[in-house]
Amino acid sequence: LVTTDCSHPNVLKSELSDVVVPDWTICEMLYPKLELYHKYTAVECASSGKSYTFGQIRMKSRNFSKALKEKLKLKKGDIVAILVKNIPEFGIAAYGIFEAGLVVTTLNPAYTPDEIKKQLLDSGARAIITQASDFCKVKSALEIMHSQIPIIVIKEKQADSIPSGAIDFFEFADTVINVPDIEPGHTSDLAFLPYSSGTTGLPKGVELTHNNIVSNIFQFNHKDVSFLNPPTDNFQDVIPTVLPLYHIYGFTAGTVNSAYNGTKSVTLDKFSPELFITVLKNHRVTVIYAAPPLILFLTSHQDVKKEYFKYVKMVISGGAPLGCLDEQRFTDKVGSHVTITQAYGLTETSPLVTWFPKTYAKNENGGCIGKVVPKTYVKIIAPDDPTGTPLGMNQSGELLVKGPQVMRGYYNRPEETEKSFLNGWFRTGDLGHFNDEGCMFITDRLKELIKVKGFQVAPAELEELIRSFPGVDDAAVIGIPNQAHGEVPRAYVVPKEGFALNVEEIKEYVAIKVTKYKQLAGGVQIVDTIPKNPSGKILRRLLKQNYKEKGI
Ligand code: 4UW
C-alpha cells in the first residue's frame, strides 16, 4: 500500500498507531464475539419489544446458512437479496448468508416493484428474503421480471401466515440440520453488494469483499477512536438503529459494528417522532448514529427533552453535510456532555474514510468531518487533473482515497470501475480541503449524486424515467437546497415539438414509479433546451447556478 505516491507530504495519513487487520471473513471476525457476549441482548424491536441475544443470533444464523445450502442448493458466490425494514432478524439473515459463502445485496424496503426489479435483474439474485408486509410487492416485482426465485418470508407477528409458495424464514432459522459447519471462505471473496450511483450514471452494485468490511471494522475500532465498551452485567452500550440497515452506514454501524462490540441495537422499523422519543425515554441510549435530518429533528422538536440525553455520550452525524451552526444548536439544547462529531464515508469505501480520534471529539473544528482513519491515505487534487498531484493545506479540490476498505469495483461494470479510479486512487466525487491540523472538510459535490435526507438519488435514473413520459424529448435533474431534507430533486424537461407538457402529470408519473424520497419535490421546469457540453454531458453546474441566481 505504501508507495512513493502515498509518502508525498500533501497526502493525509492517520496519526494513530497502525492497526493489524487479520485475514478473516466477516463470520470469523464476528462469531467469537457473538459467543463471548451470548447472554446479552443484541437487538430489540422498538415497537414490539421482540428481542434476540447474541447467542440466539449465532445459533439461528448458523441454522439459516445451512438451510440456504442444503435446502435451496445455493452455491458459493450466489447473491441473496434482503428487502426488509429495520427489524431484529436482519443480522440473522445477513450473517447466515455470509456463513454460507453467499453474497448479500440489500434493497430499500420502500422501493416500488419497478425499482426492486432493476436491482434483482442487475445483481442476478438467486433468492430474496423479505418480511410478510412486503411480500406482495416483492411478488409483483418477480412477476414483472418473470422470475421464480425463492422468496423467504419473515413473519412480523405470530399471527402472520406464510403465503403459499413462500418459505418460512423461521423454519430455516430454527431447524438444526445435521451437517458439518460450513468452512469459512476466503477473505478476498465478495461479501456485500450494496447499490450506489457513484459519481455518475445509474445505481451500480458496489463489490465489497470480506476483507473490505473487516478492515473497516478494525479501522473503526482503533483504541483511540472507539467509544463503545464491551457489555458487562452492569452496563451495555445502547444504540437506536434508525438509519436504514440496507444502506452502508446502517449496515456497518448498526449491525456489524454493534455485534462486534456487544452493543444493544434498538431497531426502529420506521421513523416517527413519537417512536424515537419513546426509545430515548425508555432505553439507556448511549450512542446515536444519525444523518443531518435526525440532528435537526432532535434539536428542533419540542418533545425532545434534554433529560433524555442523560446517558448519551456520543452522537455521530454522517451521510450528508451538517453545518457548524447546527452542531452548536444541538449542543446548546442537549448539553456539552454529549459529544457531537461528524464522520465521512461512502458505500464504495465500506464506508468509513474520516472519523474523530478521541482527542479530537470536541467541537473545536465545527463542520469538520474528522481525520483520516488508520491504514488510509487521502489526497485532494485539482478537479480533472490527470496527474493526480496532491494539493496542499486549505486548497480545495476532489478528495481521493486509498486503503483496504476501498471497493473492488462495480459489479459487472469494468468501464465504470476504471473511471472511478485514478492511478489506484478512488475518486470520491466530493469537493473538500484540509486545514493545518489535518482536519478534513467537505464543501460541495462534484458528482451528480443528489442526497435527500442522506439517501442516494441518481439523477440519471430520474432522467431516464422522465424521458419515457409521452411527449418528452429531453430531461435533466439536479438537486436544489432544502431546509428539512438537505436537497430535493428538481427536473428540467424539454417537450417534443408540438407537445404541451403538464408539469403535474410528469410529477405524478415519477411518483408512481419511484419511492418517496426520489420524487420531484423541487419542481419541474419546462425548458427549450438542456445545456450540454460538446460531448453531450449535461451541464448541471449551470442549471444549479441558474436556480441559485434566478430561482428557475
Ligand atoms: N459530510 C458531507 C459528511 C458526509 C457526506 C457522506 O450513500 P453513500 O454512498 O454513503 C454514505 C455513508 C455515510 C457514512 C457516514 C459516516 C459513517 O460513520 C458511516 O459509516 C459508519 C457512513 O452516505 O454516500 C456517499 C456520499 O455522501 C456524502 C458525500 O457526498 C459522499 O460521497 N457524505 N458523509 N459527513 N457529505
Side-chain angles (χ1 to χ4, degrees), residues 108 110-112 115 452-453 489 511 514-521:
N108 181 345
Y111 271 179
T112 62
E115 292 168 304
V452 182
K453 296 196 279 180
V514 297
T515 190
K516 203 165 164 206
Y517 64 85
K518 294 186 193 170
Q519 293 176 19
L520 299 171

Side-chain angles (χ1 to χ4, degrees), residues 220 247 249 319-321 343 345-347 351-352 430 445 447 451 456:
F220 243 125
H247 182 255
Y249 188 3
L346 301 89
T347 309
L352 210 57
D430 288 314
R445 226 176 279 136
K447 56 187 168 190
K451 283 230 133 172
Q456 285 208 5

